[in-house]
Amino acid sequence: MKKKGRYQHTDPNKASKRKYTSYEDVPLREYRDTEPVPQNLTQKFIKVFFFLFIAVVAVMAMINVDNLTPDNISHWFQYDLLGKTEGSGYPVRFNGITVNSDNFSVMDRTPVYCSDTSIVVLNSNAGEYQNTQHAFAKPIMKTNMNYSIIFNSDATGFKIINRESTVYTGTTDKKLFDADVAENGTYALLTYGSDYLSSLNVFKSDNNKRYSYSFADYYVNNLSLNSNGSGAALSGVSAKNGGLISVIYILDFNQTNYLQKYEIEDSYIYDIKYLDNGNVIAVGNTCAYHIDVENGTKTDINYDSKTLTTYTLNAKYGLLLSLSTNPDGRECDIVAINNIGKIETEINTKNKVESLDYKNEKIAALLPSELVIYDTSGKQLASNETSTDARKACFSDNNTLYILGTSNISKIRVDY
């Protein structure tokens, strides 16, 4: 006799009289959900999710509109999303034997340094965005948000890098005094002159020359471009009547002659900065100098016979000074001079100050074995222990700083 199939019933009436029906005895088509999920529910959910995603992206884009360049978007995709460089975390030993404190900085929130052998950019987990060898005997590095320029002081070679790669490598005809690069890629080279004491040559980001100027009366040896590369502030030195005289020049690259010139007797200027608000600030051995370029006025900020131990020039803020009452550099006062030339705060640390940095109305002071954060009123916000060999601290963001030691770079997270 032929066997019945699994879903074949010899008596349909008996099956219908069962108190409980087994699903194994009923075809699937007969016990499907009588109230199925609407077919368009999934589509509605996807649409809602999509619009929420677009809204979040739009808000983030508005917040970070200044950083949404093709290079930054490409960088985020390659390095942050795809994890192109991972790293093993901080602290990390740096390449080479030595790194001068001036050759350690932060470029777009990530550490960059130039050692005696290498130019290295790290990510937030100590992975290498790039590692470029150099043969400079006296490398000097200057850094902004987008670029770093590294040049061989008293020689002719230089390099320009961004976060991912070397943008340009070049040489000059004469030895270099100084160099700088603006955030838009315009760069300037200050060299010994042929028929003059110093010569300035300015190049656009495509390496075509834009401007040149020669100085006959002073050895002009310090240079700072403004943020868009349309002008520069420079300082130099000469001798007068057996004494020392310094000079500050303000140049507009749309004019053939200098815009402003200030001569200062019995002073030596260490460094100069063209500020984002259009003013200029310089730091000397006995005074700091603030120049209101629009009104053509200079203000002297005297050190009151104190010894300058360290300083930091910041294009957004102004100048941070460490002034010691002792010749050996102990018991330092931190003096914060803002971008309009006013002393905003004075902080007595009773310690030696190794380095200073500023970001978003916060001042970082690296003391022996301690990193202290102040606000611009002088109130202490936080304190963290550091290694005894810490030499320089740089803000990455409000809560993160990178610390340069004698052989490595560490990372500190600060809670306020």
Side-chain angles (χ1 to χ4, degrees):
M1 181 172 59
K2 185 177 182 181
K3 292 183 179 180
K4 301 290 192 294
R6 186 171 184 178
Y7 297 112
Q8 291 177 333
H9 305 293
T10 56
D11 189 346
N13 292 329
K14 289 182 180 180
S16 65
K17 292 177 182 180
R18 293 177 183 170
K19 187 175 182 180
Y20 300 102
T21 303
S22 171
Y23 286 133
E24 292 185 357
D25 296 321
V26 180
L28 288 174
R29 64 177 180 274
E30 294 185 16
Y31 66 87
R32 286 178 180 167
D33 194 340
T34 58
E35 295 183 5
V37 177
Q39 295 181 359
N40 63 347
L41 182 60
T42 300
Q43 294 178 349
K44 289 182 178 179
F45 175 79
I46 293 174
K47 287 181 180 179
V48 170
F49 178 81
F50 176 77
F51 286 122
L52 287 174
F53 176 77
I54 293 298
V56 170
V57 171
V59 171
M60 295 302 294
M62 291 175 63
I63 294 174
N64 297 280
V65 63
D66 293 336
N67 296 323
L68 290 179
T69 63
D71 287 343
N72 282 348
I73 293 172
S74 172
H75 174 273
W76 172 82
F77 182 79
Q78 294 182 63
Y79 293 88
D80 297 326
L81 184 62
L82 299 182
K84 188 173 179 180
T85 58
E86 294 181 356
S88 56
Y90 291 92
V92 61
R93 293 187 65 86
F94 54 70
N95 290 350
I97 299 173
T98 61
V99 175
N100 188 294
S101 295
D102 292 336
N103 290 341
F104 174 74
S105 188
V106 169
M107 179 168 58
D108 192 13
R109 300 180 299 278
T110 57
V112 55
Y113 67 86
C114 178
S115 72
D116 53 327
T117 61
S118 305
I119 303 163
V120 181
V121 184
L122 301 173
N123 68 7
S124 60
N125 202 37
E128 291 184 353
Y129 286 135
Q130 65 168 304
N131 185 337
T132 304
Q133 301 295 306
H134 72 78
F136 298 161
K138 299 178 183 178
I140 295 179
M141 182 181 75
K142 288 188 176 182
T143 300
N144 59 46
M145 182 71 173
N146 300 322
Y147 298 97
S148 288
I149 187 167
I150 303 94
F151 65 95
N152 199 4
S153 178
D154 204 32
T156 61
F158 69 95
K159 291 178 179 288
I160 299 172
I161 67 168
N162 59 20
R163 190 162 50 177
E164 290 81 28
S165 61
T166 299
V167 175
Y168 185 71
T169 298
T171 57
T172 56
D173 294 334
K174 301 295 181 181
K175 292 181 180 181
L176 284 154
F177 277 121
D178 202 359
D180 198 14
V181 61
E183 292 185 2
N184 64 359
T186 297
Y187 63 96
L189 305 171
L190 184 61
T191 67
Y192 293 78
S194 297
D195 301 321
Y196 297 88
L197 298 180
S198 303
S199 294
L200 174 71
N201 290 288
V202 182
F203 301 83
K204 296 184 289 186
S205 58
D206 60 5
N207 304 308
N208 289 316
K209 185 181 287 190
R210 174 182 177 180
Y211 179 85
S212 62
Y213 194 92
S214 296
F215 304 90
D217 300 324
Y218 290 87
Y219 286 100
V220 176
N221 55 358
N222 293 310
L223 159 70
S224 177
L225 292 172
N226 61 12
S227 59
N228 62 11
S230 63
L234 307 99
S235 69
V237 66
S238 186
K240 182 179 180 181
N241 299 326
L244 187 69
I245 183 170
S246 291
V247 67
I248 295 174
Y249 286 98
I250 312 296
L251 300 182
D252 181 340
F253 298 156
N254 295 313
Q255 299 183 21
T256 55
N257 201 5
Y258 60 78
L259 183 65
Q260 293 169 23
K261 177 182 177 181
Y262 302 89
E263 293 180 319
I264 308 163
E265 293 189 3
D266 300 322
S267 177
Y268 183 82
I269 295 176
Y270 295 128
D271 210 347
I272 194 166
K273 194 74 171 180
Y274 214 128
L275 305 177
D276 288 346
N277 68 346
N279 294 332
V280 170
I281 201 160
V283 55
N285 60 335
T286 59
C287 280
Y289 307 96
H290 180 274
I291 296 172
D292 184 330
V293 175
E294 183 177 359
N295 296 314
T297 58
K298 177 176 69 71
T299 302
D300 297 357
I301 301 104
N302 198 284
Y303 299 161
D304 297 326
S305 301
K306 295 179 181 178
T307 301
L308 177 67
T309 63
T310 190
Y311 66 89
T312 294
L313 290 163
N314 184 286
K316 181 178 180 180
Y317 174 74
L319 174 63
L320 295 173
L321 298 169
S322 170
L323 301 175
S324 175
T325 56
N326 293 313
D328 61 3
R330 295 178 298 169
E331 297 184 10
C332 292
D333 295 334
I334 298 170
V335 180
I337 302 168
N338 62 22
N339 58 14
I340 59 173
K342 302 296 183 182
I343 295 178
E344 194 162 24
T345 188
E346 294 186 58
I347 305 165
N348 183 268
T349 69
K350 298 181 180 179
N351 277 292
K352 181 181 180 181
V353 175
E354 301 288 349
S355 80
L356 296 164
D357 199 19
Y358 175 89
K359 191 176 185 68
N360 295 338
E361 300 184 351
K362 293 180 177 64
I363 298 168
L366 182 61
L367 311 178
S369 304
E370 184 183 20
L371 176 69
V372 182
I373 310 297
Y374 303 93
D375 64 17
T376 50
S377 71
K379 178 183 176 182
Q380 182 174 319
L381 302 178
S383 175
N384 286 67
E385 290 185 2
T386 63
S387 62
T388 56
D389 69 344
R391 293 184 288 144
K392 186 176 182 180
C394 293
F395 273 110
S396 172
D397 56 40
N398 283 335
N399 300 92
T400 307
L401 296 99
Y402 291 99
I403 311 295
L404 175 69
T406 55
S407 61
N408 63 20
I409 297 167
S410 57
K411 182 178 181 180
I412 288 181
R413 178 77 180 176
V414 179
D415 295 319
Y416 302 114

